[in-house]
Amino acid sequence: MSFLGILVVILAFLAAIFTAGYNDRPSKTKKGTR
């Protein structure tokens, strides 16, 4: 059960990192869009 929770946390972290990277690429000219 704990292994499943760790896996979910890792997946969530990877998803957040990937989305942040993809969102940061096109908005390189604009600073502080968030």
Side-chain angles (χ1 to χ4, degrees):
M1 195 100 172
S2 58
F3 179 72
L4 194 74
I6 292 163
L7 201 74
V8 170
V9 172
I10 291 167
L11 279 173
F13 237 82
L14 282 173
I17 290 164
F18 270 108
T19 50
Y22 280 124
N23 286 346
D24 214 26
R25 275 214 171 175
S27 62
K28 227 180 187 186
T29 51
K30 285 182 187 175
K31 252 189 176 180
T33 49
R34 233 185 199 195

